[in-house]
């Protein structure tokens, strides 16, 4: 079996992104239509003003077995498409205060991210790239904004950027990465000079200076640094890409 093949038979592009298995597959089933309608009604009508009242309506009908359905719907149909409402949905999740549901929402976020990163269509679709940026902000809000790490096994950002560089997919990978990392501004743990963050920024700066990036991608990196209160001109670029190119040239010249 091809390790990199996905369920639909297409080859997975990025090995730096990995989705964990379902947390409780034996428990999950989709809610019936009546319950779905009630849940959608809550999500359509919730606001910061009525959030406590709507939370009661939601917890009246949302059961453990609906978690995967709810998580998938929240990520795919809401967080991905409605960036302006992400904070509201996060507040709702905070108030539901269920660790397993939170974990399932995070897992479904990786599912959506993985789909968009690996889809050929995303390269040429500004809509899909916009959705991926929305998911980046959402992922950062679920994790680093709350001082929770993004595990290397789920998204290894340096690997992702290198794979993006190698496969000419930086137009997808850089904006996504920047949208995740900017959430570090809300963190006490992950804001500069956090080593995990600075390590990824060093690679972004190497791409900035040496990867012949289009101006809009350079701008994404500049905005990220500015939001993190860093001067991009003072960040020392890594030498990962240049080292690799040097090794290849050495190998060719001695061949």
């Amino acid at each position: 079996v091809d390790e990199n093949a996905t369920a639909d038979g297409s080859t997975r592009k990025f090995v730096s992104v990995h989705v964990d298995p379902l947390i409780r597959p034996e428990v999950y089933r989709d809610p019936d239509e009546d319950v779905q309608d009630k849940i959608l009604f809550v999500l359509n009508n919730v606001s910061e003003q009525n959030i406590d009242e709507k939370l009661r309506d939601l917890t009246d009908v949302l059961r453990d077995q609906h978690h995967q359905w709810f998580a998938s719907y929240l990520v795919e149909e809401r967080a991905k498409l409605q960036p302006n409402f992400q904070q509201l949905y996060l507040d709702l999740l905070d108030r539901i205060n269920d660790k397993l549901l939170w974990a399932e929402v995070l897992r479904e976020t990786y599912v959506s991210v993985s789909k968009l990163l690996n889809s050929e269509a995303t390269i040429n679709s500004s809509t899909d790239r916009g959705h991926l940026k929305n998911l980046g902000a959402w992922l950062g809000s679920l994790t680093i904004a709350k001082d929770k790490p993004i595990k290397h096994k789920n998204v290894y950002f340096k690997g992702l950027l290198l794979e993006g560089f190698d496969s000419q997919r930086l137009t997808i990978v850089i904006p996504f990465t920047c949208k995740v990392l900017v959430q570090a501004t809300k963190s006490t743990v992950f804001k500069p000079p956090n080593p995990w963050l600075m390590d990824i920024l060093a690679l972004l700066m190497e791409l900035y200076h040496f990867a012949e990036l289009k101006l809009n991608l350079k701008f994404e990196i500049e905005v990220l640094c500015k939001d993190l209160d860093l001067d991009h001109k003072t960040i020392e670029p890594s030498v990962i890409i240049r080292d690799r190119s040097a090794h290849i040239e050495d190998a060719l010249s001695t061949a």
Side-chain angles (χ1 to χ4, degrees), residues 1 25 45 58 91 107 226:
V1 181
N45 293 287
L58 184 61
D91 292 346
R107 199 196 78 86
K226 188 166 175 289

Side-chain angles (χ1 to χ4, degrees), residues 67-103:
H67 278 180
Q68 199 254 325
W69 174 87
F70 179 75
S72 175
Y73 178 82
L74 192 69
V75 172
E76 272 290 314
E77 303 298 328
R78 301 290 170 144
K80 182 172 103 178
L81 310 180
Q82 303 177 332
N84 299 342
F85 290 101
Q86 283 186 0
Q87 192 52 54
L88 185 61
Y89 301 138
L90 288 163
D91 292 346
L92 200 57
L93 281 174
D94 265 336
R95 282 176 161 87
I96 295 172
N97 193 18
D98 183 315
K99 281 196 171 70
L100 285 166
L101 176 60
W102 190 276

Side-chain angles (χ1 to χ4, degrees), residues 34-97:
D34 181 42
V35 172
Q36 287 190 24
D37 287 345
K38 284 178 176 157
I39 291 171
L40 299 192
F41 185 79
V42 169
L43 291 177
N44 287 334
N45 293 287
V46 68
S47 67
E48 291 298 352
Q49 287 70 45
N50 67 12
I51 191 165
D52 292 320
E53 174 201 337
K54 292 296 171 205
L55 177 68
R56 283 195 296 276
D57 297 345
L58 184 61
T59 47
D60 278 348
V61 291
L62 184 64
R63 298 286 165 264
D64 281 10
Q65 68 254 34
H66 309 146
H67 278 180
Q68 199 254 325
W69 174 87
F70 179 75
S72 175
Y73 178 82
L74 192 69
V75 172
E76 272 290 314
E77 303 298 328
R78 301 290 170 144
K80 182 172 103 178
L81 310 180
Q82 303 177 332
N84 299 342
F85 290 101
Q86 283 186 0
Q87 192 52 54
L88 185 61
Y89 301 138
L90 288 163
D91 292 346
L92 200 57
L93 281 174
D94 265 336
R95 282 176 161 87
I96 295 172
N97 193 18

